[in-house]
Amino acid sequence: MPDRHHKSENWWLRSRRMFKMLHQVRFHMTHDLPSSHANITDTKCLAIWVTPPDFLHMTVMEMASCRTEADIEAFLTHLQESGTVPDLVDYTFHHRTRLVKPILSYDATAMALSFVPAAGEETAVGNQTYCNEGDRYTYHHLRRDLFDRLTATGLLMKPRYIVPSAHITIARFTTHDGFMVEGSGPDAVPVVDQERVAALVERIEKINEKLRQKYWPQENGAMTAKGEWIVGQGKGLELCKGRSFYGGGENVITGKGFP
């Protein structure tokens, strides 16, 4: 399991919204762990670390990563003195943007629920008033505008990742336990169990098929409310600092949301 007490500090803007689909995906992934690792309360035997519900979030803009606590406090003081913090965290109240088509993505290190910016799909019943300008203003525009406002204060941005992404990390692979078998060579060096990896990928793709059927736009164009995320609905952006550990850290201020 990653070291929760790593001394470097981060600073970022994030958005939260709890989806029923998140709990469904997380249930499937923990439920289908190899039987020898099924006890999710014993972290020593887990190959997969599942993100706690309170840590689930989407990072909209990371401003600094792996810096000292003094550095982060200096950045925060600079931003507060600029007077732009309320505008940043409330930005989604006046600039509505949608994310759609949730899908479970994965690589060798983690799994995430990923979205794409809406591009003309139908809006769910009840949400039309929030998207009366269509999808001309996208999630990419939101990130661009936040970046411009931050750099206009003179802040030198130092994020880890530059490529835009809209995802919620739901799990991380922490060890190879459950995915290794004894090799056939004379030294019997453990090797990756291709069958178990294939079984995990197959399970993920089955979940994705259910996500497409239930939460993507239907054949008649209809969109379920649980299949779209209007960023800022429920609460505005959160300005966070500290040791993030995949979603932790200290919430400095939360912006204004809408129903």
Side-chain angles (χ1 to χ4, degrees):
M1 191 170 181
D3 181 6
R4 185 163 189 168
H5 302 289
H6 195 275
K7 294 183 179 180
S8 63
E9 301 265 326
N10 299 330
W11 186 27
W12 66 103
L13 282 164
R14 69 185 179 190
S15 181
R16 290 178 182 264
R17 178 182 169 188
M18 298 303 294
F19 282 92
K20 184 178 180 182
M21 75 179 78
L22 270 175
H23 295 286
Q24 292 173 337
V25 170
R26 291 179 65 250
F27 168 77
H28 281 298
M29 297 316 303
T30 55
H31 182 71
D32 290 291
L33 286 171
S35 58
S36 60
H37 306 285
N39 182 3
I40 63 174
T41 63
D42 184 0
T43 57
K44 293 181 180 179
C45 71
L46 271 179
I48 300 176
W49 176 80
V50 180
T51 308
D54 290 346
F55 281 22
L56 293 170
H57 72 284
M58 180 180 295
T59 299
V60 180
M61 183 67 58
E62 186 179 49
M63 290 162 276
S65 174
C66 299
R67 305 298 294 270
T68 66
E69 183 176 355
D71 286 341
I72 296 300
E73 290 300 330
F75 292 155
L76 180 58
T77 298
H78 168 85
L79 195 60
Q80 290 172 327
E81 290 178 349
S82 74
T84 193
V85 170
D87 178 53
L88 289 171
V89 296
D90 289 344
Y91 204 77
T92 52
F93 187 85
H94 302 289
H95 301 81
R96 310 288 168 82
T97 181
R98 289 195 304 154
L99 295 169
V100 297
K101 297 183 177 179
I103 202 77
L104 189 59
S105 56
Y106 56 93
D107 59 19
T109 62
M111 291 180 284
L113 190 65
S114 299
F115 302 81
V116 295
E121 293 87 354
E122 289 288 335
T123 304
V125 175
N127 283 340
Q128 290 91 340
T129 56
Y130 301 130
C131 305
N132 54 9
E133 295 185 5
D135 296 315
R136 287 177 292 179
Y137 188 81
T138 70
Y139 182 72
H140 295 322
H141 293 112
L142 171 64
R143 285 174 48 88
R144 176 203 63 190
D145 291 349
L146 292 174
F147 180 88
D148 288 346
R149 279 158 176 74
L150 285 163
T151 55
T153 69
L155 181 69
L156 182 60
M157 304 273 283
K158 293 185 177 180
R160 286 174 299 171
Y161 308 113
I162 303 299
V163 178
S165 176
H167 70 272
I168 302 170
T169 299
I170 63 171
R172 287 192 175 272
F173 298 105
T174 57
T175 73
H176 292 150
D177 292 348
F179 297 101
M180 303 294 290
V181 293
E182 188 175 287
S184 58
D187 297 330
V189 176
V191 296
V192 174
D193 187 336
Q194 300 294 336
E195 291 186 0
R196 287 199 173 187
V197 173
L200 176 61
V201 171
E202 181 181 2
R203 170 58 64 180
I204 291 173
E205 291 308 321
K206 286 182 178 179
I207 293 172
N208 281 336
E209 183 57 33
K210 291 181 179 180
L211 290 175
R212 294 186 189 97
Q213 292 174 0
K214 191 170 183 178
Y215 298 109
W216 283 37
Q218 304 302 303
E219 291 184 2
N220 61 2
M223 171 74 77
T224 172
K226 292 180 180 178
E228 67 179 12
W229 183 347
I230 303 177
V231 182
Q233 190 172 25
K235 63 166 61 177
L237 299 179
E238 295 179 347
L239 176 62
C240 302
K241 67 173 183 176
R243 300 169 188 174
S244 61
F245 190 67
Y246 312 128
E250 177 185 343
N251 180 10
V252 178
I253 184 174
T254 300
K256 181 169 57 175
F258 49 91

